[in-house]
Amino acid sequence: MNIALIGYGKMGHEIEQIAIQRGHQIVARIDLTTNDTFESPAFCSANVAIEFTRPDAAINNIRKCFEAGVPVVCGTTGWANQLSTIRKEMETTNGTLFWASNFSLGVNLFFALNRYLAKLMNPFNDYNISMIEVHHTQKLDAPSGTAITLAESIIEELDRKSKWVKDIQQQPDELAIASIREGNVLGIHEIIYESEMDTISIKHDAKSRRGFALGAVLAAEFTYNKKGFLGMNDLLAFL
Ligand SMILES: NC(=O)c1ccc[n+]([C@@H]2O[C@H](COP(=O)([O-])OP(=O)(O)OC[C@H]3O[C@@H](n4cnc5c(N)ncnc54)[C@H](O)[C@@H]3O)[C@@H](O)[C@H]2O)c1
Ligand SMILES: O=C(O)C1=N[C@H](C(=O)O)CCC1
């Protein structure tokens, strides 16, 4: 498969390695540091583009993919409040967008565990719930996209929570997410249920970026020749 990389930073490099190992060709690398363009024949020859840039760049890059008729897998976080806008544009252009806040298969197992635990906690009002996420200091968005996905599932499953807030819980129906930025931490997410009697917590700790990159390449392979909006649940059902 021909793959175009949009964003050739930490994730772009990691994805390139895995894509080549899996027998794909990288036909274009679009970044502020390269000369490749969305209008080039090389980019237009891509079967799929994989976009990992920054929150304020993602939506425009996705639009460029729709204009070029290239399906796009996007992992950039921090812009999900604009997903419904871009989905409408995808429909009018008959495009393809695969988006996930986290492509790691381990994190997606953790998502399922989180949902199950939140549902289980419904009758146990003595437990308060909170979340901590820790990432490297270069990260631009907070809370992380993964933390927001975890929070949205908890809000769907746990009747006593109706919205997430940053840092400090002020109302009983709020779920507080604390974001810590330190060193080169690749991504830690912990959900904590605490009563006067005990603490129950679940935690995911990423050991490298390879898990995110492998998931993104698997998503690109899945996206090839498909139309519409796709996500990790579609991919996991297929694996
Ligand atoms: N969904 C996931 O599984 C997952 C995993 C890791 C990171 N991320 C997210 O992916 C994004 C990128 O992460 P990273 O660690 O590779 O960041 P990074 O800073 O290492 O790389 C981003 C790259 O994008 C380039 N860039 C910036 N603006 C651009 C533009 N307008 N067009 C093209 N390129 C542009 C930068 O020059 C840089 O090389 C972040 O939003 C991060 O949160 C998501
Ligand atoms: O390194 C990052 O930045 C990461 N971003 C994603 C998020 O915001 O959840 C996934 C984990 C790594």
Side-chain angles (χ1 to χ4, degrees):
M1 202 165 68
N2 286 351
I3 296 179
L5 297 176
I6 309 171
Y8 196 45
K10 293 185 285 298
M11 283 302 298
H13 280 83
E14 203 77 46
I15 289 166
E16 177 177 54
Q17 276 188 21
I18 291 188
I20 291 169
Q21 278 166 16
R22 292 181 66 84
H24 304 301
Q25 293 86 40
I26 306 299
V27 293
R29 295 166 188 81
I30 296 184
D31 194 286
L32 303 179
T33 60
T34 67
N35 293 321
D36 287 345
T37 66
F38 288 98
E39 293 74 31
S40 65
F43 179 77
C44 295
S45 75
N47 301 114
V48 183
I50 305 183
E51 206 274 1
F52 280 76
T53 59
R54 47 183 288 146
D56 58 6
I59 197 161
N60 207 34
N61 288 336
I62 294 168
R63 275 191 191 119
K64 296 268 188 190
C65 293
F66 293 162
E67 281 166 23
V70 175
V72 55
V73 171
C74 175
T76 303
T77 53
W79 66 279
N81 57 345
Q82 296 175 83
L83 257 179
S84 61
T85 307
I86 202 74
R87 278 184 75 158
K88 282 185 201 125
E89 293 179 30
M90 180 202 74
E91 277 154 25
T92 49
T93 55
N94 194 27
T96 308
L97 171 62
F98 189 125
W99 182 77
S101 63
N102 200 309
F103 282 93
S104 148
L105 299 181
V107 163
N108 281 272
L109 290 172
F110 186 67
F111 283 161
L113 186 62
N114 170 57
R115 193 176 270 284
Y116 178 72
L117 183 57
K119 204 180 176 83
L120 208 61
M121 281 294 178
N122 263 319
F124 302 102
N125 290 319
D126 290 343
Y127 287 91
N128 193 27
I129 172 170
S130 60
M131 195 187 309
I132 300 174
E133 58 99 348
V134 191
H135 284 87
H136 53 92
T137 51
Q138 291 169 15
K139 187 160 179 60
L140 298 176
D141 52 317
S144 68
T146 308
I148 294 172
T149 302
L150 287 160
E152 286 171 348
S153 298
I154 292 166
I155 289 160
E156 275 173 37
E157 300 296 341
L158 190 62
D159 300 340
R160 60 185 180 273
K161 295 291 170 191
S162 66
K163 58 171 175 281
W164 62 264
V165 292
K166 279 181 164 189
D167 299 320
I168 296 168
Q169 180 185 342
Q170 281 175 332
Q171 301 296 329
D173 67 333
E174 292 176 345
L175 164 60
I177 307 176
S179 296
I180 297 166
R181 299 289 172 258
E182 64 185 30
N184 291 320
V185 178
L186 298 169
I188 298 174
H189 293 89
E190 185 171 16
I191 296 124
I192 303 146
Y193 290 84
E194 186 155 20
S195 75
E196 279 186 14
M197 309 292 172
D198 54 17
T199 302
I200 303 170
S201 75
I202 56 171
K203 180 175 174 181
H204 181 276
D205 187 351
K207 289 185 174 178
S208 78
R209 290 191 172 85
R210 280 181 65 77
F212 310 135
L214 173 63
V217 175
L218 291 174
E221 291 168 3
F222 177 74
T223 298
Y224 179 56
N225 272 343
K226 290 197 176 63
K227 288 281 173 197
F229 186 75
L230 304 164
M232 287 305 281
N233 287 341
D234 302 302
L235 172 62
L236 294 172
F238 163 84
L239 288 179

